[in-house]
Amino acid sequence: MVKLREPNPLLPDGSIDLEQWLGRVSESRSEEEMALIREACELVKQSAGFSQSLMMAEILQELGLDTPTLIAAIVYDANHSQVLTLETTQKHFGETVAKLVLGVQKIDQVSTQHHQAKQLENLRRMLLSIVEDVRVVLIKLVRHTCAMRAAVHLEDAIKRKMAEETQEIYAPLANRLGIGQIKWELEDFSFRFLEPVQYKNIAKLLDERRENRENYIDFVVTKITETLRLQGIEALVSGRAKHIYSIWKKMLRKGVGYHEIYDVRAIRILIPTVSECYAALGAIHTLWQHIPKEFDDYIANPKGNGYRSLHTAVIGPEGKTLEVQIRTPEMHEQAELGVAAHWRYKENVNRDANYEAKLANLRQVLKWQEEWAVDIDQESNEALRAEVFQDRVYVLTPKGEVLDLSQGATVLDFAYHVHSEVGNRCRGAKVNGRMVPLTHLLKSGDKIEILTAKTGGPSRDWLNRDLGFLKTSRARAKALQWFKKQDREKNYQEGREVLERELKRLGIDNLNLESLAQQLKISKVEEMFTALGGGEIRISQVLGAIQTLLHATLPKASSITPEIKQTRHKERSAEIMVSGVGNLLCQMAKCCKPVPGEEIIGYITVGKGVTVHRKDCMNILQAKQHKQNRLIQVEWGQNLHNQYLVDIVIHAYNREGLLRDISVTLASERVTVITVNMFTNKLENLAEIKLSIEISGIELLSKILNKIQQVPNVIEAKRIRLG
């Protein structure tokens, strides 16, 4: 629910009671510091935004910010409205305060532009401010929070625009910095303005049950406190208010109603040590039945913004579901205050090294964005937003340095993150001292060592998204840049070899390369090979063009003459156009198993209708003269969303679990396996596996063969050419 804070104290005449307000922010501040805060208030108390300035300063006080930050918040609106100049501010309060005010002004200059095209630039400017001085962004976040509170009485159109900006930038930024207090309040206000009906419905449900819920929570708090005390654990146990937006989001994510949300009733337990946190967890699970799949250990596996806690859900007293969060006071401070809890600007106090590293890495993301995308298009925008805002993983170099990568990054992404040359010459990697493939996904806390060659460059396979080597746009761009710099003749030769090898593996013959180049919007075949070899186009794009090209040769529905009939193969529902015959039964030839897009021909059998072969099938080419008159022209139909049988062969070094791993790979792509035959040569420890699988087309076949090729011990995987 939107968090309500105590309003500014007032005197009988309606003016602000400055003395009482100063008492609120005096904790842990010296007389000299309070004198400066008082001077700032006296200097700007006649300005229009004075009340909001005090509200901003009080929130920053709750976040634990230093005196210069509070003063900057107090005088900011006066500077913004030019009641107070920057020179006067610096004269009275020093260079630090003046820089903070100037930093917030720079952000405001951007955020006043509400056009969609400016949203990413807005975000970039704020992140740049983070890496220079996080206090600037904290002031801006607090200022926006106060503006959202004041927006309750504004017109709906203005509130919606502010709410959209909040969802787009400010709430994610507060989450990225781990500041739960501000994040939750901004999310609730935004939800209230964008979905007022849904907001009111949930708020009403919470209010209707408030008294019963509070009585219930009081009982549970007492029970937990007594249980932990009997085990020698001193804990601070309290009920936790659930935020309306988080309830709504969980309802949508899980597809359930309000009454099925487990953590509307929630308990928070603060315990001195980590070991006692786990002991308390055991006590809770002993006390009440644990709900399966509702346990998260964010202590062992912290969130990307540094959040740590144990989360569990249990069936509490009266059969009611109950969420329990268990953490240390330090973890609680981090959850509430985020980066503010670790960034202290006081003399003789060291900054937190981990947070320094995290913020420094944001600068690296922004530096990449400037280098890689001079003209920022929509795809680049989304790539940057995803890599900055999604959950992060924090990994270690061999020297113990912390690097921040996007969730799902591989060890090869890590190599490119370290340096372009490290990525280009990467040949292997160790994670936590163990050799892993380059596609290995990283987890927070992993320690990575990259093994490099003295010479050489990246493999073109790294650019194939299906193989999973590179997940980040930054690393992909660096690998692509390497290929662009290579010799043109070498790119031409390698591109030609890549395409010929892929066509051979897929069993595709007699392809018109000129038409393929045109389909890819490339003027010449030679240019197509060069682009493929240089990484400007991917093999997956070429395969897509091949399938489109072959399908384009099929007859249009309007051009079908009355003599051409359609018949459906009963087993796999493959529509075939059969010229000059009646409604004959059609079936796919088992010798060559044609796939849509391949040239086909029909053979009239005795009593079994028409058998459809590939035109290059050896059984057709070697058919005797007296059988030639049984051949008829057939073509693929229009509805080609069916499954077709294809035979593939896999050669591998035999090992335990080989067939299982291949089966898992096929299952992950939802491929149906019809038959499996495995032959082994124990003397040479080799295995040959023949599979009949159902696929929808050439692109899927290529993807499947690529994935099988990545299974450990597999030597090659290709389509069988029986015909």
Side-chain angles (χ1 to χ4, degrees), residues 593 645-648 666 672-678 689-694:
K593 295 184 175 65
L645 204 59
V646 169
D647 292 326
I648 64 174
L666 292 170
T672 300
V673 179
I674 305 301
T675 62
V676 179
N677 289 296
M678 183 170 179
I689 303 172
K690 292 182 179 180
L691 301 170
S692 290
I693 60 174
E694 287 186 336

Side-chain angles (χ1 to χ4, degrees), residues 287-331:
L287 195 59
W288 296 302
Q289 182 183 345
H290 166 238
I291 298 175
K293 298 183 180 179
E294 291 295 329
F295 170 68
D296 291 295
D297 187 348
Y298 296 121
I299 294 180
N301 300 289
K303 290 186 178 182
N305 60 10
Y307 177 87
R308 294 187 298 157
S309 185
L310 295 176
H311 289 198
T312 189
V314 296
I315 300 175
E318 302 175 22
K320 295 179 179 179
T321 55
L322 184 72
E323 187 196 53
V324 181
Q325 295 182 359
I326 307 170
R327 60 179 69 146
T328 66
E330 180 186 5
M331 294 173 191

Side-chain angles (χ1 to χ4, degrees), residues 67-86:
T67 298
T69 308
L70 267 65
I71 294 174
I74 292 168
V75 303
Y76 177 76
D77 273 319
N79 276 265
H80 185 69
S81 60
Q82 297 183 337
V83 171
L84 194 66
T85 66
L86 204 59

